[in-house]
């Protein structure tokens, strides 16, 4: 048996089960070893039968006194009842599929049972408990691992699989250099794997978990430091004298908010120094991050440098191009667009103009990081809505220039303590003020019963020449399937809002189609826009005052907050309606928070309190690789240790050239995915 063997080499895993495992990204025996228990059941303590209480799970041992069928014993689903007793009392054990199981029990022999106790009149019962005959190897007592649910493979099967893998433990090798192991008092990987699956006590679980969590977080942090090291330079940065932007500020139709001003002061200091700027701006939706980016691009252009701005969707990129063109035209600064849906000739022309410096500001999707994109003298690199990009994409973008200044913008309100870890040595500025005259959005919840009243209200707004977004249910994250539910909703609303223009936009549509519809909505030719979540990010239509989210229980708090941020962009009162189709407790609590607060940072913290960081800090939200065993919030102390170790490693050996880091490098590659261009 070898770590690299296929799962199908195991007893009990045929093609069907192998396929199920494959769907769960489990291919080899090593992958199976790395399928860690989610929790444990402590079945070390046996309970005396007289002490059993209904409603809880217990472990008992006793002698089978009798075996009895309650019906025709030759029918396969005739229930079987055992009477089991220890010195203190008797209990009934009931199996519904009696025929299959009957011959496993002999009267007068001793067995252990584990299961939930119920009460049937005055008799105590256990229905379908786990069991084993005392003396047999498949002991159900002890500390029992409970694995993540894999539909199609039972817990019992998973445990049996893990038992077979025990002979692999000696093959699990140490992969970290000695000093890292001793400094952090790490258990060996073999010990950790053995005792994460089959611990004998709580201490072994803790030691094993610490090692495994440390491994994962060290890999993450070393990878991040490696990438940052590539982009961050303390000297030799491009110097941009930014006072010239005062003119641009004077020409703006509004005054900068206090938050915008203070961020701009931070940036001016960065730009004037020969250290490369590496700054993250965190600001709620609508807080006006774009104009701050414009100041930086204006200053870069006046100093003779090009800028590039990368946005996560084509719609957003085009909207940026429109507003940037309007803002920069009068200064003779040229703005260009690059995205994958452009015609080849158009693209070629853009690339040519870019290379000779005729385009001073390039806006685009991830098309801008393709190898054929060459700048004349790139000085300023901006990523909008950073949480939609992987860390590696940001690094690729900055390599388009020679130490360009970097500005990263995000509306994901990650609490500062975490942002410092996730974004490492990016400097962080926050905009916590909203532009003046903006009224807080009124948020209300509804259910299927008063859903119609919501749409009556929407109609009133339409009559006042306002526009509305309606977000269709998220069925699953598949463009095609979600589109269908959006189509049905579109049909329904077209009837309801007869006389108004109701349009549909969804992820499965062609790009040109989406752009056309967005443009029409933006120009006021469409009154109601029914959409899947494609509009989630960045879109700016100030005349839209209503956001309706159908099926709100399917969305996380961060996403709901982002969606709501599409309205409330003008001076009129805006509204957000959250329609619950299936009111779960979590959904209720989420809606409560949404109704009470408009502050993204507050919402983020509430989300953390509510049920841990899982959703908010899922991969989609911050662009980090997925963690298997660690939790960036709950394991903050291990993270701190891993981070320090990672920093020490990278400080000493920035390119991880030393052979002792070979296995660490492999793990980094695996974690960050094959497509990451880590030049490791
Ligand atoms: P976000 O931070 O979500 O990217 P935007 O940059 O799109 O927000 O800004 C939202 C809207 O607010 C835009 O229409 C912008 O012109 C406007 N805006 C930005 N700053 C101010 C300000 N200081 N006063 C008034 N309006 C502003
Ligand atoms: Mg924005």
């Amino acid at each position: 048996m070898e770590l690299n063997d296929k799962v199908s080499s195991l007893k009990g895993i045929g093609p069907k089960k192998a396929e199920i495992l494959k769907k769960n990204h489990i291919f080899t025996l090593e992958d199976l070893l790395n399928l860690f228990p989610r929790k444990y059941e402590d079945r070390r303590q046996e309970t005396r039968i007289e002490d059993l209480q209904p409603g809880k799970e217990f472990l008992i041992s006793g002698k089978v006194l009798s075996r009895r069928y309650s019906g025709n014993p030759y029918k396969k689903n005739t229930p079987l009842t055992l009477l089991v007793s220890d010195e203190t009392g008797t209990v009934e054990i009931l199996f519904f599929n009696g025929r299959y199981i009957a011959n496993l029990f002999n009267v007068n022999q001793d067995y252990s049972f584990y299961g939930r106790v119920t009460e049937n009149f005055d008799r105590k019962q256990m229905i379908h408990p786990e069991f084993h005959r005392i003396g047999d190897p498949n002991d159900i007592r002890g500390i029992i691992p409970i694995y993540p649910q894999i539909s199609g493979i039972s817990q019992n099967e998973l445990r049996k699989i893990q038992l077979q893998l025990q002979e692999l433990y000696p093959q699990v090798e140490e992969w970290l250099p000695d000093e890292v192991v001793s400094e952090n008092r790490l258990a060996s990987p073999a010990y950790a794997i053995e005792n994460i699956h089959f611990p004998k006590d709580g201490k072994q679980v803790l030691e094993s978990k610490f090692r495994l969590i440390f491994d994962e977080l060290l890999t993450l942090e070393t990878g991040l430091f490696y990438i940052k090291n590539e982009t961050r330079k303390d000297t030799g940065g491009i110097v941009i004298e930014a006072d010239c932007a005062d003119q641009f500020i004077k020409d703006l139709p509004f005054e900068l908010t206090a938050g915008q001003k203070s961020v701009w002061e931070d940036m001016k200091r960065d730009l004037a120094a020969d250290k490369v700027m590496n700054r993250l701006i965190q600001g709620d939706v609508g807080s006006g991050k774009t104009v701050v980016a414009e100041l930086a691009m204006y200053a870069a252009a006046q100093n003779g440098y090009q800028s590039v701005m990368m946005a996560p969707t084509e719609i957003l990129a085009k909207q940026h191009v429109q507003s940037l063109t309007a803002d920069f035209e009068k200064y003779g600064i040229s703005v260009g667009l690059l995205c994958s849906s452009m015609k080849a000739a158009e693209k070629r022309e853009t690339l040519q103009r870019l290379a000779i410096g005729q385009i001073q500001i390039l806006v685009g999707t991830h098309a801008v990081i393709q190898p054929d994109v060459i700048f004349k003298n790139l000085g300023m690199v901006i990523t909008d809505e950073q949480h939609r990009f992987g860390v590696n994409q940001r690094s690729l973008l900055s390599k388009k220039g020679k130490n360009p200044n970097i500005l990263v913008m995000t509306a994901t309100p990650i609490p500062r303590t975490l942002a410092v870890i996730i974004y490492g040595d990016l400097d962080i500025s926050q905009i916590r003020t909203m532009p003046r005259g903006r009224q807080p959005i009124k948020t209300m919840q509804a259910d299927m019963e008063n859903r119609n009243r919501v749409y009556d209200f929407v109609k009133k707004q339409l009559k006042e020449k306002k526009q509305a977004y309606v977000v269709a249910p998220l069925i699953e994250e598949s463009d095609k399937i979600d589109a269908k539910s959006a189509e049905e909703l579109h049909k329904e609303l077209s009837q309801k809002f007869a006389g108004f223009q109701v349009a549909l936009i969804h992820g499965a549509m062609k790009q040109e189609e989406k752009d056309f519809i967005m443009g029409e909505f933006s120009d006021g030719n469409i009154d109601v826009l029914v959409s899947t979540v494609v509009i989630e990010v960045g879109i700016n239509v100030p005349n839209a005052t209503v956001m309706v989210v159908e099926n709100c229980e399917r969305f996380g708090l961060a996403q709901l907050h982002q969606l709501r941020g599409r309205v409330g962009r003008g001076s009129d009162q805006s509204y957000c309606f959250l329609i619950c189709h299936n009111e779960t407790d979590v959904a209720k609590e989420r809606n409560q928070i949404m109704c009470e607060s408009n502050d993204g940072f507050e919402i983020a913290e509430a989300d953390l309190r509510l049920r841990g960081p899982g959703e908010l800090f899922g991969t989609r939200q911050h662009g980090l690789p997925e963690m298997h065993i660690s939790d960036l919030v709950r394991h903050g102390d291990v993270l701190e240790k891993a981070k320090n170790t990672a920093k020490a490693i990278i400080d000493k050996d920035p390119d991880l050239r030393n052979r002792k880091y070979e296995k660490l490098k492999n793990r980094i590659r695996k974690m960050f995915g094959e497509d990451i261009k880590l030049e490791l």
Side-chain angles (χ1 to χ4, degrees):
M1 206 188 261
E2 307 262 343
L3 289 168
N4 273 329
D5 288 352
K6 295 246 155 45
V7 291
S8 50
S9 66
L10 281 184
K11 257 205 313 220
I13 300 189
K16 213 167 133 197
K17 297 231 159 91
E19 192 56 36
I20 294 174
L21 288 171
K22 200 167 125 192
K23 282 214 185 88
N24 287 276
H25 310 286
I26 296 169
F27 307 96
T28 65
L29 300 189
E30 187 170 16
D31 296 337
L32 273 173
L33 280 183
N34 288 321
L35 176 70
F36 303 132
R38 188 163 54 81
K39 59 175 189 179
Y40 302 90
E41 254 165 31
D42 190 351
R43 302 186 195 162
R44 285 174 297 178
Q45 203 68 41
E46 285 186 359
T47 303
R48 302 189 311 182
I49 290 179
E50 70 172 355
D51 294 334
L52 294 181
Q53 289 158 14
K56 280 203 202 133
E57 268 129 35
F58 291 99
L59 176 73
I60 58 163
S61 289
K63 209 179 278 306
V64 172
L65 298 182
S66 69
R67 255 176 28 172
R68 168 169 61 82
Y69 288 107
S70 44
N72 180 348
Y74 299 103
K75 279 174 102 172
K76 61 182 175 200
N77 45 10
T78 294
L80 170 78
T81 308
L82 306 173
L83 208 58
V84 171
S85 118
D86 62 7
E87 297 97 71
T88 69
T90 54
V91 62
E92 270 184 10
I93 311 275
L94 184 65
F95 294 99
F96 291 115
N97 51 345
R99 264 289 294 283
Y100 286 122
I101 230 161
N103 56 6
L104 296 173
F105 295 102
N106 297 320
V107 172
N108 272 331
Q109 260 187 355
D110 288 315
Y111 294 82
S112 293
F113 297 91
Y114 178 84
R116 181 175 287 270
V117 173
T118 54
E119 207 155 26
N120 184 8
F121 296 101
D122 55 347
R123 274 171 300 168
K124 287 183 188 126
Q125 275 190 335
M126 259 190 198
I127 299 173
H128 274 270
E130 288 183 51
F131 61 89
H132 82 280
R133 186 176 9 211
I134 298 205
D136 282 359
N138 63 328
D139 206 320
I140 62 158
R141 294 173 297 183
I143 298 178
I144 304 297
I146 310 291
Y147 291 95
Q149 205 124 35
I150 296 182
S151 67
I153 303 182
S154 73
Q155 285 295 329
N156 231 328
E157 285 172 298
L158 286 171
R159 247 170 268 146
K160 277 192 188 141
I161 289 171
Q162 291 294 346
L163 280 171
Q164 286 187 64
L165 296 177
Q166 286 181 320
E167 78 177 76
L168 282 173
Y169 297 160
Q171 291 181 40
V172 178
E173 286 176 0
E174 182 55 68
W175 60 279
L176 281 172
D178 296 343
E179 67 274 13
V180 173
V181 173
S182 59
E183 267 161 32
N184 294 286
R185 299 161 182 265
L186 300 176
S188 75
Y191 177 93
I193 292 286
E194 173 172 355
N195 293 294
I196 197 82
H197 290 295
F198 299 109
K200 279 166 218 74
D201 55 42
K203 184 166 157 275
Q204 290 185 332
V205 176
L206 287 180
E207 288 167 343
S208 304
K209 266 191 150 168
F210 183 82
R211 168 72 211 230
L212 297 166
I213 292 168
F214 184 89
D215 284 358
E216 192 169 63
L217 293 176
L218 179 72
T219 309
L220 174 73
E221 288 292 331
T222 314
L224 289 176
F225 275 122
Y226 175 85
I227 295 169
K228 276 164 202 153
N229 213 42
E230 288 276 278
T231 48
R232 176 158 186 136
K233 300 279 175 331
D234 280 335
T235 55
I238 290 168
V239 177
I240 291 175
E241 201 290 302
D243 283 334
C244 58
D246 288 350
Q247 186 60 45
F248 188 89
I249 296 174
K250 244 190 239 142
D251 295 344
L252 282 172
F254 46 71
E255 200 185 331
L256 293 180
T257 64
Q260 287 168 325
K261 277 184 193 156
S262 100
V263 172
W264 178 235
E265 287 306 317
D266 291 343
M267 288 167 59
K268 269 205 315 206
R269 225 175 309 116
D270 293 347
L271 292 171
D274 82 331
K275 163 183 164 252
V276 175
M277 176 168 86
N278 242 300
R279 190 164 288 279
L280 171 77
I281 303 183
Q282 263 187 307
D284 223 331
V285 271
S287 62
K289 295 182 289 294
T290 318
V291 69
V292 180
E294 283 183 355
L295 293 175
M297 292 188 277
Y298 177 87
Q302 297 301 352
N303 283 256
Y305 291 104
Q306 289 171 300
S307 302
V308 61
M309 184 160 170
M310 179 161 70
T313 63
E314 224 163 294
I315 294 181
L316 189 56
K318 286 184 181 162
Q319 194 164 54
H320 277 320
V321 168
Q322 249 179 27
S323 60
L324 294 189
T325 306
D327 291 345
F328 284 124
E329 220 162 22
K330 55 178 173 283
Y331 306 105
I333 298 171
S334 59
V335 180
L337 170 73
L338 190 71
C339 47
S340 41
S341 75
M342 276 162 62
K343 293 204 181 73
E346 248 181 312
K347 227 188 246 176
R348 210 173 318 116
E349 196 202 319
T350 302
L351 290 177
Q352 275 164 5
R353 293 181 53 216
L354 188 69
I356 56 172
Q358 267 183 14
I359 291 177
Q360 285 153 294
I361 295 173
L362 182 70
V363 183
T365 56
H366 44 260
V368 300
I369 53 178
Q370 299 313 310
D372 56 348
V373 181
I374 294 158
F375 292 84
K376 182 161 178 251
N377 56 353
L378 181 62
M380 187 76 226
V381 167
I382 299 170
T383 31
D384 193 18
E385 307 294 351
Q386 149 72 21
H387 63 283
R388 284 308 185 85
F389 295 105
V391 270
N392 51 324
Q393 286 169 316
R394 174 153 50 92
S395 130
L396 282 179
L397 187 55
S398 66
K399 283 191 192 141
K400 295 276 176 198
K402 206 169 156 248
N403 301 342
N405 293 291
I406 297 169
L407 180 65
V408 173
M409 302 194 286
T410 181
T412 308
I414 297 168
R416 197 181 191 98
T417 44
L418 267 170
V420 169
I421 292 161
I422 293 169
Y423 297 112
D425 53 356
L426 278 178
D427 302 311
I428 299 175
S429 301
Q430 293 183 335
I431 304 183
R432 294 195 73 150
T433 47
M434 281 294 186
R436 232 203 323 227
R438 191 110 2 124
Q439 304 179 43
I441 300 158
K442 286 198 177 134
T443 305
M444 281 157 277
Q445 46 183 330
D447 54 25
M448 294 313 274
E449 272 167 36
N450 47 23
R451 181 169 173 268
N452 273 327
R453 289 177 47 202
V454 170
Y455 287 113
D456 289 344
F457 181 87
V458 175
K459 202 179 222 168
K460 270 197 214 138
Q461 289 281 302
L462 297 180
K463 284 182 181 152
E464 290 175 24
K465 299 262 178 308
K466 300 289 174 11
Q467 291 163 278
Y469 295 101
V470 181
V471 175
L474 183 77
I475 306 287
E476 53 182 86
E477 290 197 36
S478 144
D479 283 341
K480 281 216 182 81
I481 296 173
D482 290 341
K484 239 183 121 180
S485 81
E487 269 160 22
E488 275 160 30
L489 185 63
H490 175 244
K491 224 186 265 166
E492 180 193 344
L493 294 184
S494 298
Q495 278 170 3
K496 255 196 185 99
F497 299 133
F500 293 99
Q501 289 299 320
V502 183
L504 173 66
I505 185 168
H506 59 68
M509 278 176 165
K510 281 217 190 74
Q511 194 57 50
E512 300 101 78
E513 233 177 318
K514 283 194 270 191
D515 290 341
F516 176 76
I517 293 168
M518 249 355 271
E520 291 288 290
F521 186 67
S522 188
D523 292 344
N525 300 332
I526 291 171
D527 304 301
V528 180
L529 186 64
V530 178
S531 87
T532 53
V533 282
V534 279
I535 52 146
E536 184 193 337
V537 172
I539 300 302
N540 189 24
V541 181
N543 190 47
T545 55
V546 189
M547 165 63 69
V548 180
V549 183
E550 290 271 3
N551 235 185
C552 64
E553 71 276 10
R554 299 271 178 138
F555 297 91
L557 263 180
Q559 220 174 5
L560 289 174
H561 183 63
Q562 286 253 357
L563 284 169
R564 178 171 62 182
R566 296 306 112 228
V567 297
R569 301 201 142 220
S571 52
D572 296 310
Q573 178 64 55
S574 287
Y575 305 87
C576 173
F577 294 95
L578 304 172
I579 302 181
C580 235
H581 292 209
N582 178 14
E583 208 167 11
T584 63
D585 285 346
V586 179
K588 251 188 248 169
E589 227 165 322
R590 244 186 253 155
N591 287 353
Q592 188 75 24
I593 293 165
M594 287 294 293
C595 292
E596 280 166 10
S597 177
N598 264 295
D599 179 340
F601 291 95
E602 227 173 82
I603 289 174
E605 272 152 28
D607 200 22
L608 270 184
R609 274 201 312 276
L610 200 60
R611 72 206 135 123
E615 175 148 334
L616 179 60
F617 301 105
T619 328
R620 285 194 46 199
Q621 289 300 329
H622 55 47
L624 287 184
E626 200 178 341
M627 297 289 107
H628 291 295
I629 187 168
S630 341
D631 180 315
L632 297 177
V633 174
R634 263 188 301 144
H635 303 137
D637 49 338
V638 193
L639 183 61
E640 195 60 35
K641 281 203 168 97
K643 186 179 158 196
N644 293 338
T645 305
K647 178 129 182 41
I649 290 175
I650 289 286
D651 279 350
K652 258 190 283 173
D653 187 356
D655 299 318
L656 300 176
R657 283 186 205 286
N658 193 316
R659 278 194 55 85
K660 65 182 176 183
Y661 297 128
E662 203 52 42
K663 289 181 178 141
L664 175 58
K665 276 203 276 195
N666 285 338
R667 287 198 179 217
I668 293 174
R669 283 197 198 101
K670 198 165 172 199
M671 178 181 280
F672 284 80
E674 295 305 329
D675 57 344
I676 185 173
K677 303 277 184 303
L678 283 179
E679 280 145 29
L680 281 170

